Amino acid sequence: MRINVVSDVHGNTEALAKAGEGADALICLGDLVLFLDYADHSRGIFPDLFGVENADRLVELRTARRFDEARDLGRRLWGELGIDRATAIESAVRRQYAEMFAALPAPTYATYGNVDMPGLWPEYARPGTTVLDGERAEIGGLVFGFVGGGLRSPMRTPYEISDEEYAAKVEALGEVDVLCSHIPPDLPELTYDTVARRFERGSRALLDAIRRTRPRYALFGHVHQPLVRRMRVGATECVNVGHFAATGRPWTLEW
């Protein structure tokens, strides 16, 4: 059995259409939406609306952790644009989702990332795509558990939830062979981004579940340039499956 796993797709539709090649199924760990490409500031919803110069400024402020100033910039730009923010963003996200869900092979098992909009997924997920969040699926004789979304952060991305709500979804899974999430367990080696030079939010509930239930693998994404991409926690191999938007390559699990 061969499963290809991707995370942090961020608009890379062309590579996503090929991500299931040679595999029995594809797993997608979320972040389909591209709001702003930190490597190419001309790509994404933000520069499409406000231009590259403003995207440059926003990245500069966020990288310097000047989040209040970044939000002030955003409020000013939306005010100058004179259109409803929620409506404009949803329209742009819908265009991206229409392309990306059409590119997903069958079967695909998917969960949400922190920049995704879960309420829209039922409209675009086609037959053959199974969306799971706090739920399990048996694939090739192994039990996979899925936990979507991220934890609350200064970035205030669309699908951030409380630690308590996230922990409840982890608890609902019980014992699984493969634990799949968008964010990593809360370990500094796995949560530190070496390019952004900051720690991203990881989940203590995931780490506790790994130590308690000892799945074979814990698979995740979210941290684009991690200090460590792979490490063991007891009996569990913890793997950051990679920044798919940049690499275009899935990570493969075989058994």
Side-chain angles (χ1 to χ4, degrees):
M1 191 76 180
R2 178 187 176 105
I3 302 292
N4 284 355
V5 188
V6 300
S7 184
D8 300 270
V9 178
H10 294 303
N12 193 345
T13 308
E14 183 178 353
L16 185 62
K18 304 174 184 177
E21 291 180 357
D24 297 291
L26 178 71
I27 288 176
C28 179
L29 301 181
D31 270 10
L32 298 180
V33 172
L34 178 61
F35 187 72
L36 176 58
D37 188 334
Y38 278 58
D40 180 355
H41 302 170
S42 68
R43 298 182 64 244
I45 295 171
F46 187 91
D48 286 348
L49 289 168
F50 303 115
V52 176
E53 288 187 7
N54 285 316
D56 291 341
R57 180 59 176 160
L58 183 66
V59 171
E60 178 186 353
L61 291 172
R62 285 184 172 180
T63 302
R65 304 183 190 180
R66 294 156 61 184
F67 297 112
D68 288 339
E69 292 178 63
R71 282 189 285 272
D72 288 342
L73 172 65
R75 280 191 288 267
R76 178 177 64 79
L77 292 173
W78 281 107
E80 292 174 355
L81 195 62
I83 62 175
D84 180 68
R85 175 175 181 166
T87 301
I89 290 178
E90 181 176 318
S91 178
V93 170
R94 284 181 177 277
R95 288 193 295 271
Q96 292 187 10
Y97 278 167
E99 293 181 2
M100 284 183 283
F101 276 96
L104 290 173
T108 291
Y109 300 85
T111 197
Y112 317 113
N114 61 293
V115 303
D116 285 313
M117 298 177 69
L120 299 181
W121 281 36
E123 297 182 44
Y124 296 96
R126 299 183 173 194
T129 296
T130 304
V131 180
L132 304 117
D133 187 18
E135 299 165 286
R136 299 150 52 106
E138 183 176 331
I139 308 172
L142 297 184
V143 177
F144 288 70
F146 294 81
V147 186
L151 297 173
R152 289 174 183 158
S153 76
M155 303 293 282
R156 298 184 184 179
T157 50
Y159 190 40
E160 294 181 355
I161 60 177
S162 70
D163 289 57
E164 294 76 16
E165 185 179 353
Y166 195 93
K169 293 194 295 185
V170 175
E171 182 68 24
L173 298 179
E175 295 187 7
V176 298
D177 297 301
V178 185
L179 179 57
C180 299
S181 58
H182 177 68
I183 63 173
D186 189 18
L187 288 168
E189 298 93 334
L190 300 176
T191 57
Y192 186 73
D193 190 306
T194 60
V195 174
R197 292 181 295 178
R198 66 169 179 258
F199 289 97
E200 302 288 353
R201 289 294 313 272
S203 168
R204 183 73 190 185
L206 285 173
L207 180 59
D208 290 344
I210 288 167
R211 288 172 170 164
R212 183 177 68 254
T213 65
R214 299 164 62 87
R216 299 186 193 183
Y217 290 91
L219 309 179
F220 49 88
H222 187 56
V223 183
H224 293 179
Q225 296 89 198
L227 185 65
V228 172
R229 294 194 176 276
R230 189 168 184 153
M231 66 181 291
R232 293 194 73 83
V233 175
T236 303
E237 190 75 13
C238 298
V239 183
N240 184 320
V241 300
H243 181 203
F244 186 75
T247 69
R249 296 190 303 273
W251 184 82
T252 299
L253 176 63
E254 293 185 279
W255 70 95

